[in-house]
Amino acid sequence: MDLTDTEYEAIRDGLLGSERPFFLFHDDPDGLVSFLLLKKFCGKGRGMMVKAEPNVNDRFLAPVRSVKPDSLFVLDVALMQQSFVDTVRGFGVAKIFWIDHHQPVRLSGVKYFNPRLHSPQNNPPASYLSYKAVRGTGNELLWLAMAGIVSDWHMPEFAPEFTRDYPDLLPGPMSAEEALFTTGIGKLGRIFSFMLKGPVSEAVACIRALETVTSPYDILNRLTKEGRFIYGKFKAINSEYEKLLAEAKEAADGSSGEKFLVFTYKSAQSFSGDLANELLFLYPDRVIVAGRERSEHYMLSFRARHAPVLPALQNALKGVDGYGGGHEKACGGSVSRKDFERFIEKFKKEF
């Protein structure tokens, strides 16, 4: 079970009953698509990305106060603070809806929708939950939903419908991983990911352009002004990504036979999650650690196919200046430069 019919109805009622919804969404394809699906359904509202730390806390009080929403939708964000909830209530936010699929968290004053409350091992992405809440009987939003869902390594039960309508983008049954790295719908998800990188103003411009797009081919084939704008941003970012991926492959070849593949890099952009995903696809038997080196710390992504990384990450962080969390086999975190080498050794020993 993902969510119950009653829960999906509550999401729809919340959207339709709100005059000024405000959406806070994780800055990845899953969060982005969740926002777009819900906004297209209700036809109103504003959105804001949750960048860096996936935590809705007091740094978002000023935007909420400025927008003056009557309802708040938090999408694909792992954490939210009770102090934030209590404070925005005083701003006139009547209802808060939280749609997520990470480790369950309980807060008062929040309508919480997480499939892991029904089954701890069941965690379809937020874009899947959002699509099922608003899809109705039509398929006009299916392409958008599939880009977000597949990007989060999930292949939904309605994938055959997508193959029927877009056989060139998903030729037939396959794993989400294979689709992500070998098909047109996977490329569209990569475009969504890369268009969110760089200056916030550029990401916002891409999101506004995407809100007007009605077909995946507008972007993939550059058929409209908006599609060409989005693809241009992707092309510029992708060139840097491909260079880093080539370096990571060299590091993998130079450490062949080792269980762990640790790759760190310097860049103005964050590619850790993207690199970790593709490296796991290319080297499925290895434990992947991809990290972006910043001035005082490393921003890290962890992936593994055959063993959970979350317990190892949590234990390795004890006594270390850092934080982390996420899914059993796909996590993120941050570790200070001074503790990085010690942390990596502890992380390896946990396996």
PDB file of all heavy atoms in Angstrom, residues 22-23 28 31 51 58-59 66 74 86 96 100 114 126 160 175 217 219 221 224 239 243 249-250 254 272 284 332 335:
ATOM      1  N   PHE A  22       0.975  27.596  -0.798  1.00  0.00           N
ATOM      2  CA  PHE A  22       2.407  27.829  -0.955  1.00  0.00           C
ATOM      3  C   PHE A  22       3.100  26.477  -0.867  1.00  0.00           C
ATOM      4  O   PHE A  22       2.860  25.707   0.057  1.00  0.00           O
ATOM      5  CB  PHE A  22       2.919  28.769   0.142  1.00  0.00           C
ATOM      6  CG  PHE A  22       4.341  29.220  -0.030  1.00  0.00           C
ATOM      7  CD1 PHE A  22       4.873  29.492  -1.277  1.00  0.00           C
ATOM      8  CD2 PHE A  22       5.153  29.414   1.079  1.00  0.00           C
ATOM      9  CE1 PHE A  22       6.189  29.927  -1.431  1.00  0.00           C
ATOM     10  CE2 PHE A  22       6.466  29.855   0.948  1.00  0.00           C
ATOM     11  CZ  PHE A  22       6.983  30.113  -0.311  1.00  0.00           C
ATOM     12  N   PHE A  23       3.957  26.175  -1.868  1.00  0.00           N
ATOM     13  CA  PHE A  23       4.586  24.872  -1.970  1.00  0.00           C
ATOM     14  C   PHE A  23       6.085  24.989  -1.686  1.00  0.00           C
ATOM     15  O   PHE A  23       6.782  25.761  -2.340  1.00  0.00           O
ATOM     16  CB  PHE A  23       4.389  24.290  -3.371  1.00  0.00           C
ATOM     17  CG  PHE A  23       2.948  24.167  -3.792  1.00  0.00           C
ATOM     18  CD1 PHE A  23       2.323  25.219  -4.466  1.00  0.00           C
ATOM     19  CD2 PHE A  23       2.221  23.022  -3.521  1.00  0.00           C
ATOM     20  CE1 PHE A  23       0.998  25.113  -4.875  1.00  0.00           C
ATOM     21  CE2 PHE A  23       0.897  22.903  -3.927  1.00  0.00           C
ATOM     22  CZ  PHE A  23       0.282  23.957  -4.604  1.00  0.00           C
ATOM     23  N   ASP A  28      15.065  18.656  -6.364  1.00  0.00           N
ATOM     24  CA  ASP A  28      15.427  17.568  -7.260  1.00  0.00           C
ATOM     25  C   ASP A  28      14.211  17.258  -8.126  1.00  0.00           C
ATOM     26  O   ASP A  28      13.135  17.837  -7.916  1.00  0.00           O
ATOM     27  CB  ASP A  28      15.911  16.349  -6.477  1.00  0.00           C
ATOM     28  CG  ASP A  28      14.819  15.654  -5.686  1.00  0.00           C
ATOM     29  OD1 ASP A  28      13.658  16.138  -5.649  1.00  0.00           O
ATOM     30  OD2 ASP A  28      15.101  14.602  -5.083  1.00  0.00           O
ATOM     31  N   GLY A  31      10.914  16.355  -6.169  1.00  0.00           N
ATOM     32  CA  GLY A  31      10.255  17.482  -5.525  1.00  0.00           C
ATOM     33  C   GLY A  31       9.672  18.460  -6.529  1.00  0.00           C
ATOM     34  O   GLY A  31       8.546  18.947  -6.364  1.00  0.00           O
ATOM     35  N   LYS A  51      16.631  24.141  -0.772  1.00  0.00           N
ATOM     36  CA  LYS A  51      17.978  23.810  -1.244  1.00  0.00           C
ATOM     37  C   LYS A  51      18.883  23.494  -0.059  1.00  0.00           C
ATOM     38  O   LYS A  51      18.543  23.746   1.089  1.00  0.00           O
ATOM     39  CB  LYS A  51      18.558  24.966  -2.055  1.00  0.00           C
ATOM     40  CG  LYS A  51      17.783  25.257  -3.349  1.00  0.00           C
ATOM     41  CD  LYS A  51      18.446  26.343  -4.172  1.00  0.00           C
ATOM     42  CE  LYS A  51      19.729  25.885  -4.814  1.00  0.00           C
ATOM     43  NZ  LYS A  51      19.503  24.853  -5.870  1.00  0.00           N
ATOM     44  N   ASP A  58      13.433  27.451  10.470  1.00  0.00           N
ATOM     45  CA  ASP A  58      13.149  28.884  10.602  1.00  0.00           C
ATOM     46  C   ASP A  58      13.665  29.726   9.437  1.00  0.00           C
ATOM     47  O   ASP A  58      13.242  30.883   9.287  1.00  0.00           O
ATOM     48  CB  ASP A  58      13.742  29.406  11.916  1.00  0.00           C
ATOM     49  CG  ASP A  58      12.982  28.903  13.132  1.00  0.00           C
ATOM     50  OD1 ASP A  58      11.936  28.246  12.938  1.00  0.00           O
ATOM     51  OD2 ASP A  58      13.431  29.148  14.267  1.00  0.00           O
ATOM     52  N   ARG A  59      14.542  29.189   8.598  1.00  0.00           N
ATOM     53  CA  ARG A  59      15.006  29.977   7.449  1.00  0.00           C
ATOM     54  C   ARG A  59      13.886  30.233   6.446  1.00  0.00           C
ATOM     55  O   ARG A  59      14.015  31.093   5.567  1.00  0.00           O
ATOM     56  CB  ARG A  59      16.191  29.301   6.761  1.00  0.00           C
ATOM     57  CG  ARG A  59      15.887  27.948   6.144  1.00  0.00           C
ATOM     58  CD  ARG A  59      17.151  27.244   5.690  1.00  0.00           C
ATOM     59  NE  ARG A  59      16.898  25.841   5.395  1.00  0.00           N
ATOM     60  CZ  ARG A  59      17.253  25.231   4.280  1.00  0.00           C
ATOM     61  NH1 ARG A  59      17.856  25.926   3.315  1.00  0.00           N
ATOM     62  NH2 ARG A  59      17.024  23.958   4.103  1.00  0.00           N
ATOM     63  N   SER A  66       5.952  36.588   3.962  1.00  0.00           N
ATOM     64  CA  SER A  66       5.798  37.460   2.801  1.00  0.00           C
ATOM     65  C   SER A  66       4.661  37.011   1.889  1.00  0.00           C
ATOM     66  O   SER A  66       3.870  37.830   1.421  1.00  0.00           O
ATOM     67  CB  SER A  66       7.113  37.507   2.017  1.00  0.00           C
ATOM     68  OG  SER A  66       6.983  38.238   0.833  1.00  0.00           O
ATOM     69  N   VAL A  74       4.359  20.848   1.856  1.00  0.00           N
ATOM     70  CA  VAL A  74       5.786  20.521   1.918  1.00  0.00           C
ATOM     71  C   VAL A  74       5.980  19.192   1.197  1.00  0.00           C
ATOM     72  O   VAL A  74       5.367  18.182   1.561  1.00  0.00           O
ATOM     73  CB  VAL A  74       6.273  20.439   3.373  1.00  0.00           C
ATOM     74  CG1 VAL A  74       7.750  20.059   3.430  1.00  0.00           C
ATOM     75  CG2 VAL A  74       6.042  21.777   4.078  1.00  0.00           C
ATOM     76  N   ASP A  86       4.780  25.774  14.468  1.00  0.00           N
ATOM     77  CA  ASP A  86       4.101  26.598  15.476  1.00  0.00           C
ATOM     78  C   ASP A  86       4.122  28.075  15.101  1.00  0.00           C
ATOM     79  O   ASP A  86       3.135  28.795  15.314  1.00  0.00           O
ATOM     80  CB  ASP A  86       4.773  26.390  16.840  1.00  0.00           C
ATOM     81  CG  ASP A  86       4.636  24.963  17.352  1.00  0.00           C
ATOM     82  OD1 ASP A  86       3.730  24.248  16.883  1.00  0.00           O
ATOM     83  OD2 ASP A  86       5.445  24.565  18.210  1.00  0.00           O
ATOM     84  N   ILE A  96      -1.307  22.667   7.095  1.00  0.00           N
ATOM     85  CA  ILE A  96      -0.006  22.270   6.569  1.00  0.00           C
ATOM     86  C   ILE A  96      -0.101  20.813   6.132  1.00  0.00           C
ATOM     87  O   ILE A  96      -0.468  19.934   6.916  1.00  0.00           O
ATOM     88  CB  ILE A  96       1.103  22.437   7.623  1.00  0.00           C
ATOM     89  CG1 ILE A  96       1.199  23.898   8.074  1.00  0.00           C
ATOM     90  CG2 ILE A  96       2.443  21.955   7.077  1.00  0.00           C
ATOM     91  CD1 ILE A  96       2.169  24.133   9.217  1.00  0.00           C
ATOM     92  N   ASP A 100       5.644  13.011   1.822  1.00  0.00           N
ATOM     93  CA  ASP A 100       7.042  12.605   1.835  1.00  0.00           C
ATOM     94  C   ASP A 100       7.152  11.084   1.831  1.00  0.00           C
ATOM     95  O   ASP A 100       6.162  10.371   2.017  1.00  0.00           O
ATOM     96  CB  ASP A 100       7.742  13.184   3.069  1.00  0.00           C
ATOM     97  CG  ASP A 100       9.241  13.039   3.007  1.00  0.00           C
ATOM     98  OD1 ASP A 100       9.820  13.258   1.930  1.00  0.00           O
ATOM     99  OD2 ASP A 100       9.840  12.689   4.041  1.00  0.00           O
ATOM    100  N   ASN A 114       2.742   9.774   4.357  1.00  0.00           N
ATOM    101  CA  ASN A 114       3.972   9.030   4.117  1.00  0.00           C
ATOM    102  C   ASN A 114       3.630   7.547   4.023  1.00  0.00           C
ATOM    103  O   ASN A 114       3.119   6.963   4.986  1.00  0.00           O
ATOM    104  CB  ASN A 114       4.970   9.272   5.246  1.00  0.00           C
ATOM    105  CG  ASN A 114       6.346   8.705   4.956  1.00  0.00           C
ATOM    106  OD1 ASN A 114       6.490   7.681   4.298  1.00  0.00           O
ATOM    107  ND2 ASN A 114       7.370   9.371   5.464  1.00  0.00           N
ATOM    108  N   ALA A 126       7.643  11.028  -3.871  1.00  0.00           N
ATOM    109  CA  ALA A 126       6.582  12.016  -3.669  1.00  0.00           C
ATOM    110  C   ALA A 126       5.860  12.334  -4.969  1.00  0.00           C
ATOM    111  O   ALA A 126       4.657  12.622  -4.960  1.00  0.00           O
ATOM    112  CB  ALA A 126       7.164  13.285  -3.054  1.00  0.00           C
ATOM    113  N   PRO A 160       3.191   0.956 -18.221  1.00  0.00           N
ATOM    114  CA  PRO A 160       2.724   0.509 -19.546  1.00  0.00           C
ATOM    115  C   PRO A 160       1.853   1.544 -20.268  1.00  0.00           C
ATOM    116  O   PRO A 160       1.874   1.617 -21.502  1.00  0.00           O
ATOM    117  CB  PRO A 160       1.930  -0.758 -19.226  1.00  0.00           C
ATOM    118  CG  PRO A 160       2.561  -1.289 -17.977  1.00  0.00           C
ATOM    119  CD  PRO A 160       2.925  -0.059 -17.184  1.00  0.00           C
ATOM    120  N   SER A 175      13.720  -1.938 -15.638  1.00  0.00           N
ATOM    121  CA  SER A 175      13.878  -1.366 -14.307  1.00  0.00           C
ATOM    122  C   SER A 175      13.964   0.150 -14.391  1.00  0.00           C
ATOM    123  O   SER A 175      14.288   0.724 -15.441  1.00  0.00           O
ATOM    124  CB  SER A 175      15.146  -1.911 -13.651  1.00  0.00           C
ATOM    125  OG  SER A 175      16.290  -1.412 -14.320  1.00  0.00           O
ATOM    126  N   TYR A 217       8.322  16.502 -25.727  1.00  0.00           N
ATOM    127  CA  TYR A 217       9.056  16.784 -26.958  1.00  0.00           C
ATOM    128  C   TYR A 217       9.357  18.273 -27.115  1.00  0.00           C
ATOM    129  O   TYR A 217      10.287  18.634 -27.848  1.00  0.00           O
ATOM    130  CB  TYR A 217       8.268  16.270 -28.161  1.00  0.00           C
ATOM    131  CG  TYR A 217       7.961  14.798 -28.061  1.00  0.00           C
ATOM    132  CD1 TYR A 217       6.653  14.348 -27.915  1.00  0.00           C
ATOM    133  CD2 TYR A 217       8.988  13.853 -28.078  1.00  0.00           C
ATOM    134  CE1 TYR A 217       6.372  12.994 -27.804  1.00  0.00           C
ATOM    135  CE2 TYR A 217       8.715  12.497 -27.979  1.00  0.00           C
ATOM    136  CZ  TYR A 217       7.409  12.069 -27.833  1.00  0.00           C
ATOM    137  OH  TYR A 217       7.138  10.731 -27.725  1.00  0.00           O
ATOM    138  N   ILE A 219      10.730  19.956 -24.983  1.00  0.00           N
ATOM    139  CA  ILE A 219      12.061  20.079 -24.398  1.00  0.00           C
ATOM    140  C   ILE A 219      13.068  19.214 -25.137  1.00  0.00           C
ATOM    141  O   ILE A 219      14.110  19.695 -25.593  1.00  0.00           O
ATOM    142  CB  ILE A 219      12.027  19.695 -22.903  1.00  0.00           C
ATOM    143  CG1 ILE A 219      11.049  20.591 -22.138  1.00  0.00           C
ATOM    144  CG2 ILE A 219      13.421  19.784 -22.297  1.00  0.00           C
ATOM    145  CD1 ILE A 219      10.783  20.146 -20.720  1.00  0.00           C
ATOM    146  N   ASN A 221      13.088  17.808 -28.046  1.00  0.00           N
ATOM    147  CA  ASN A 221      13.311  18.162 -29.454  1.00  0.00           C
ATOM    148  C   ASN A 221      13.402  19.663 -29.684  1.00  0.00           C
ATOM    149  O   ASN A 221      13.432  20.116 -30.831  1.00  0.00           O
ATOM    150  CB  ASN A 221      12.205  17.576 -30.325  1.00  0.00           C
ATOM    151  CG  ASN A 221      12.195  16.062 -30.303  1.00  0.00           C
ATOM    152  OD1 ASN A 221      13.190  15.432 -29.972  1.00  0.00           O
ATOM    153  ND2 ASN A 221      11.060  15.460 -30.634  1.00  0.00           N
ATOM    154  N   THR A 224       9.736  24.416 -28.751  1.00  0.00           N
ATOM    155  CA  THR A 224       9.164  25.698 -28.349  1.00  0.00           C
ATOM    156  C   THR A 224      10.249  26.569 -27.717  1.00  0.00           C
ATOM    157  O   THR A 224      11.329  26.081 -27.348  1.00  0.00           O
ATOM    158  CB  THR A 224       8.030  25.499 -27.334  1.00  0.00           C
ATOM    159  OG1 THR A 224       8.578  24.929 -26.122  1.00  0.00           O
ATOM    160  CG2 THR A 224       6.943  24.581 -27.888  1.00  0.00           C
ATOM    161  N   SER A 239      27.724  19.594 -19.723  1.00  0.00           N
ATOM    162  CA  SER A 239      29.107  19.525 -20.199  1.00  0.00           C
ATOM    163  C   SER A 239      30.080  19.374 -19.027  1.00  0.00           C
ATOM    164  O   SER A 239      31.054  18.607 -19.104  1.00  0.00           O
ATOM    165  CB  SER A 239      29.450  20.774 -21.021  1.00  0.00           C
ATOM    166  OG  SER A 239      29.371  21.940 -20.229  1.00  0.00           O
ATOM    167  N   LYS A 243      32.439  15.788 -17.767  1.00  0.00           N
ATOM    168  CA  LYS A 243      33.865  15.818 -17.445  1.00  0.00           C
ATOM    169  C   LYS A 243      34.120  15.160 -16.095  1.00  0.00           C
ATOM    170  O   LYS A 243      35.065  14.378 -15.936  1.00  0.00           O
ATOM    171  CB  LYS A 243      34.373  17.262 -17.431  1.00  0.00           C
ATOM    172  CG  LYS A 243      34.381  17.929 -18.795  1.00  0.00           C
ATOM    173  CD  LYS A 243      34.840  19.384 -18.683  1.00  0.00           C
ATOM    174  CE  LYS A 243      34.776  20.084 -20.031  1.00  0.00           C
ATOM    175  NZ  LYS A 243      35.148  21.523 -19.925  1.00  0.00           N
ATOM    176  N   LYS A 249      35.057   7.727 -13.539  1.00  0.00           N
ATOM    177  CA  LYS A 249      35.300   6.430 -14.186  1.00  0.00           C
ATOM    178  C   LYS A 249      36.786   6.073 -14.116  1.00  0.00           C
ATOM    179  O   LYS A 249      37.153   4.900 -13.909  1.00  0.00           O
ATOM    180  CB  LYS A 249      34.830   6.467 -15.633  1.00  0.00           C
ATOM    181  CG  LYS A 249      33.316   6.497 -15.811  1.00  0.00           C
ATOM    182  CD  LYS A 249      32.962   6.564 -17.305  1.00  0.00           C
ATOM    183  CE  LYS A 249      31.470   6.585 -17.529  1.00  0.00           C
ATOM    184  NZ  LYS A 249      31.119   6.672 -18.968  1.00  0.00           N
ATOM    185  N   GLU A 250      37.655   7.058 -14.307  1.00  0.00           N
ATOM    186  CA  GLU A 250      39.090   6.809 -14.186  1.00  0.00           C
ATOM    187  C   GLU A 250      39.444   6.351 -12.780  1.00  0.00           C
ATOM    188  O   GLU A 250      40.244   5.420 -12.592  1.00  0.00           O
ATOM    189  CB  GLU A 250      39.872   8.068 -14.542  1.00  0.00           C
ATOM    190  CG  GLU A 250      39.863   8.431 -16.018  1.00  0.00           C
ATOM    191  CD  GLU A 250      40.724   9.640 -16.311  1.00  0.00           C
ATOM    192  OE1 GLU A 250      41.495  10.055 -15.410  1.00  0.00           O
ATOM    193  OE2 GLU A 250      40.643  10.180 -17.424  1.00  0.00           O
ATOM    194  N   GLY A 254      40.947   2.758 -11.689  1.00  0.00           N
ATOM    195  CA  GLY A 254      42.195   2.708 -10.935  1.00  0.00           C
ATOM    196  C   GLY A 254      42.070   2.001  -9.609  1.00  0.00           C
ATOM    197  O   GLY A 254      43.085   1.721  -8.960  1.00  0.00           O
ATOM    198  N   SER A 272      26.830  15.543  -6.652  1.00  0.00           N
ATOM    199  CA  SER A 272      27.110  14.340  -5.869  1.00  0.00           C
ATOM    200  C   SER A 272      26.040  13.279  -6.047  1.00  0.00           C
ATOM    201  O   SER A 272      26.345  12.098  -6.270  1.00  0.00           O
ATOM    202  CB  SER A 272      27.272  14.705  -4.390  1.00  0.00           C
ATOM    203  OG  SER A 272      28.343  15.601  -4.212  1.00  0.00           O
ATOM    204  N   PRO A 284      27.702  -1.771 -10.260  1.00  0.00           N
ATOM    205  CA  PRO A 284      26.630  -2.181  -9.342  1.00  0.00           C
ATOM    206  C   PRO A 284      27.086  -2.946  -8.109  1.00  0.00           C
ATOM    207  O   PRO A 284      26.340  -3.030  -7.130  1.00  0.00           O
ATOM    208  CB  PRO A 284      25.736  -3.063 -10.224  1.00  0.00           C
ATOM    209  CG  PRO A 284      26.618  -3.538 -11.334  1.00  0.00           C
ATOM    210  CD  PRO A 284      27.573  -2.425 -11.586  1.00  0.00           C
ATOM    211  N   GLY A 332      22.367  10.929   1.934  1.00  0.00           N
ATOM    212  CA  GLY A 332      23.172  12.124   1.754  1.00  0.00           C
ATOM    213  C   GLY A 332      23.678  12.601   3.092  1.00  0.00           C
ATOM    214  O   GLY A 332      23.168  12.200   4.151  1.00  0.00           O
ATOM    215  N   VAL A 335      30.158  16.235   5.984  1.00  0.00           N
ATOM    216  CA  VAL A 335      31.202  15.956   6.966  1.00  0.00           C
ATOM    217  C   VAL A 335      32.272  17.032   6.843  1.00  0.00           C
ATOM    218  O   VAL A 335      32.650  17.428   5.728  1.00  0.00           O
ATOM    219  CB  VAL A 335      31.820  14.566   6.743  1.00  0.00           C
ATOM    220  CG1 VAL A 335      33.017  14.348   7.666  1.00  0.00           C
ATOM    221  CG2 VAL A 335      30.780  13.471   6.963  1.00  0.00           C
TER     222      VAL A 335
END
